[in-house]
Every structure is written in C-alpha cells, then in structure tokens.
Amino acid sequence: MKRILLAISIVALLSTSCGAKKKIADLESKNKEIQDLLNTCTVKLNTCITEKDGLSSQLDYLKKSNTDLLNNMNNMTTLSTKGAQNIEKALETIKEKDIKITRMQDALTRKDSVTLALVTSLKGAVGISDPDIEINVEKGVVFISIADKLLFKSGSYLVSEKAKDVLEKVAKVINSKPDFECMVEGHTDNVPFVGNANLIDNWDLSVKRSTAIVRVLTKDLKVNPAQLIAAGRSEFVPLVPNVSSENRAINRRTRIVVLPKIDQFYEMIEKEMKK
C-alpha cells in the first residue's frame, strides 16, 4: 500500500512539475512578447517626442513669421496710407497747375483774338494795295512796315505829304485802340551817312525819322502821345542783306509796332493765375 501511495505521489509530483514548466514557458513567451511590444512602443514614443520637438520649433517659427507678417502688414498699411495721401496731394497739385495753364492759355487766346481783330481792322483801314506797305503778325505782335520812299526824301527826316495820307489811316486805328501802344521804329540801310549840321550818322537819321513820324501822329492826327514810343534801329535789323540797291531800298523803312500794353497783358495773366 505504501508503495502504491508513493508511486501515486511521484506521478502526481511529476505531473505537477510538467504543468509548472509549461506555464513558466508560456509566461516567458508572453513576457518576451510584452518586452518586444514595450521596446516598439518606446521607439515610437521617442520618435513622437522627436517629432513633437520639431513641430514645436516649426510652431515657434510660424508664430514669429505670423507676428512679422502682421507687423509688416501694419507698416504697409501705414505706408499705403501715406502713399495714398501723397498721391492725392500730387494729383491736386497737377489739377491746380492744369487749371492755371488752361487759364493762361485762355488769356493768350483772347490776346491772339484781339491781335487778329487788330490786323483785320488795320488792313481794312489802310487798304493794303501798295506793295510798299505791309502788315503782318510776328509772335502775337502786329507790324506795319512802310517803305522809306513813301515817307521821306533821301537823306531827309521831313515827312512827305503822301506819307500823311497813309499815317492818317494808321492814326484812325490807333485812336480806336486806347489800350494799345505803338512803337515807331526807323530803319536805314548800311550805306554810311555823310554827317551834316543836323544829322551825324545812320543812328541819328533813324531816330529823327521816328520822332518825325511821332510828331505827325500826335500833333496833326491827334494820337495820344502816351501810346507812342520813338525808336531808331539804324542799319542793324535788315530785312534782306544789303548787297544791292534794291535790297537796300527794302531795308530803308519805318516800322510801326502795334501791341497791347505789356503791363495790362501781364495783369490779365496774373488775374487768371490768381483764380
């Protein structure tokens, strides 16, 4: 009986030992799996931590960039506002200048209209049919050029009776334009003048011829002396080269320059500029 019990005990012990080994083996296998899983999780965790650090750095950079962009936008807004104000001021200045230019052009147009009307009236009054009398406009100024042979004898400054007929028509137009001035210019050729008791040279001759015309206009034809200017140009403003007797005859002339009073013209311009 004892042997039987011993045998049973031994068998039971062996069975128990085998079961324990199997459980230990199973536990060891599971422990290995868990360790492998833990290692894998550790690796993933470290990777996540690294990625997190990288993302944090990127986030900080983006935040800084965003702040910089906002600051730049504010600066740009400020600059844009100032730029818009400067552009607006510039446009206003340009507009003002355009208005002034337009007004000046209007004033000049009115002056040109007056000049054209004056030319028309002069031509109608004088009746230009004589080639020795010429009326033209240069740079907005009216010129009446009368050949020397219609006004004076050679070497003389005494006005002829024939000249008075022409000057009477000119005086009529001048008297109708009290706001205009007339410069009477004497011109000679380049032949040296032989001086005498009354005349010294071509300068003297040109001036005396001019003053002689002025005296006829004022004393005989009642032109306002304040409208007249006497001037001598001698031989130095020729129409053509003094190379022939025909050309010298062309250059010997009296020119009457009809123009608005300069101060009135500038007053007109200044008035338009101030508007």
Side-chain angles (χ1 to χ4, degrees):
M1 187 66 181
K2 289 180 179 180
R3 289 180 179 178
I4 293 172
L5 291 171
L6 181 59
I8 292 171
S9 298
I10 292 170
V11 172
L13 182 61
L14 290 173
S15 298
T16 302
S17 176
C18 289
K21 288 181 179 179
K22 184 178 179 181
K23 287 181 179 180
I24 291 171
D26 291 339
L27 291 171
E28 288 178 349
S29 178
K30 289 182 178 181
N31 181 60
K32 186 176 182 305
E33 291 178 0
I34 292 170
Q35 188 64 44
D36 291 341
L37 183 60
L38 177 61
N39 291 336
T40 300
C41 290
T42 301
V43 171
K44 290 183 177 181
L45 176 62
N46 290 334
T47 301
C48 288
I49 291 172
T50 302
E51 291 178 352
K52 178 189 173 185
D53 292 339
L55 289 173
S56 296
S57 298
Q58 291 182 9
L59 180 61
D60 292 339
Y61 174 76
L62 290 173
K63 286 181 178 179
K64 185 177 182 302
S65 298
N66 186 57
T67 301
D68 292 340
L69 286 173
L70 290 174
N71 291 334
N72 289 334
M73 287 179 64
N74 292 332
N75 292 334
M76 288 298 292
T77 300
T78 302
L79 291 174
S80 297
T81 302
K82 291 181 179 178
Q85 292 174 348
N86 290 336
I87 291 173
E88 186 176 356
K89 290 180 180 178
L91 290 174
E92 289 178 355
T93 301
I94 292 172
K95 184 178 179 180
E96 290 175 357
K97 288 184 178 180
D98 286 341
I99 292 173
K100 289 181 179 179
I101 290 172
T102 300
R103 287 173 175 167
M104 288 183 68
Q105 289 174 338
D106 290 342
L108 290 172
T109 300
R110 288 199 297 274
K111 176 181 176 291
D112 291 339
S113 298
V114 171
T115 301
L116 179 61
L118 177 61
V119 173
T120 303
S121 62
L122 278 170
K123 287 185 175 180
V126 177
I128 302 301
S129 59
D130 193 324
D132 293 318
I133 303 174
E134 181 181 357
I135 297 179
N136 54 41
V137 179
E138 297 177 15
K139 298 180 181 179
V141 179
V142 179
F143 297 94
I144 306 172
S145 185
I146 305 173
D148 177 72
K149 63 182 180 180
L150 293 180
L151 300 176
F152 308 99
K153 293 181 180 180
S154 178
S156 171
Y157 57 87
L158 297 177
V159 181
S160 67
E161 291 299 322
K162 184 178 180 180
K164 291 180 181 179
D165 294 336
V166 176
L167 294 176
E168 183 177 0
K169 296 176 181 179
V170 174
K172 182 179 178 181
V173 176
I174 296 174
N175 288 333
S176 69
K177 304 291 182 182
D179 292 333
F180 284 73
E181 291 181 336
C182 294
M183 178 182 292
V184 181
E185 294 180 347
H187 295 261
T188 69
D189 57 26
N190 67 337
V191 176
F193 182 80
V194 178
N196 55 39
N198 297 319
L199 295 171
I200 301 173
D201 52 20
N202 281 332
W203 275 112
D204 198 15
L205 177 61
S206 65
V207 172
K208 280 186 166 58
R209 283 182 169 179
S210 173
T211 55
I213 297 295
V214 167
R215 289 190 186 95
V216 172
L217 290 173
T218 56
K219 292 183 177 180
D220 298 341
L221 303 174
K222 309 305 179 184
V223 173
N224 181 5
Q227 290 181 253
L228 300 178
I229 303 169
R233 305 301 298 272
S234 187
E235 65 196 65
F236 300 105
V237 190
L239 294 176
V240 293
N242 285 292
V243 294
S244 65
S245 58
E246 291 80 6
N247 281 10
R248 285 190 289 272
I250 293 173
N251 291 330
R252 294 192 300 269
R253 69 202 186 278
T254 296
R255 188 171 72 163
I256 300 174
V257 185
V258 185
L259 66 163
K261 291 183 179 179
I262 298 300
D263 56 345
Q264 291 182 353
F265 173 67
Y266 281 117
E267 285 175 5
M268 180 172 62
I269 295 295
E270 289 176 358
K271 182 179 179 181
E272 293 296 335
M273 290 288 287
K274 291 177 181 178
K275 289 183 179 179

